[in-house]
Amino acid sequence: MATRQKLREREVSGETAEEVGQQAMSPALIAAGASVALSWYYFFARGDRERGLFVGLWPPTILAFASYFNQRQMRQRLDTITQPGTTIKRTIDSVMGNN
């Protein structure tokens, strides 16, 4: 019985972490892709190499900020789930969003 419950907790928490990651990274990926396209436009189409290189530095910065905020959000959720004195049922309900 306890093993099944642990497996369920792992499955639920894995799905939640993936959902959190997808929510945070989707706009960042779009912004990073757009800045790459803008960089190519400036560098090749307009011939402004300096501006193209400058804009080309944006994607790693955008993705780094998105990763930071994603980790921060997951850490906050983990802290609320693993507070001292919480029961297993309450933790599962919190992870599944039934709270």
Side-chain angles (χ1 to χ4, degrees):
M1 180 77 180
T3 306
R4 287 183 184 173
Q5 189 172 12
K6 287 181 184 178
L7 288 174
R8 286 186 205 141
E9 288 177 17
R10 287 181 189 164
E11 289 173 2
V12 169
S13 64
E15 291 173 2
T16 304
E18 288 176 8
E19 290 173 1
V20 169
Q22 289 175 355
Q23 291 172 357
M25 293 301 286
S26 181
L29 289 175
I30 293 170
S35 66
V36 167
L38 185 63
S39 172
W40 288 350
Y41 169 73
Y42 281 131
F43 193 86
F44 293 113
R46 300 227 16 214
D48 190 357
R49 292 177 183 243
E50 191 172 312
R51 184 174 289 184
L53 290 174
F54 174 71
V55 174
L57 295 174
W58 294 355
T61 306
I62 293 168
L63 295 175
F65 276 122
S67 176
Y68 168 74
F69 288 119
N70 187 17
Q71 290 175 4
R72 186 173 164 204
Q73 183 180 19
M74 287 192 300
R75 180 65 182 175
Q76 288 174 349
R77 293 185 97 184
L78 183 64
D79 287 343
T80 59
I81 290 171
T82 59
Q83 291 176 352
T86 58
T87 62
I88 293 174
K89 182 184 181 319
R90 188 170 153 198
T91 301
I92 292 172
D93 286 342
S94 176
V95 168
M96 295 182 70
N98 294 336
N99 246 357

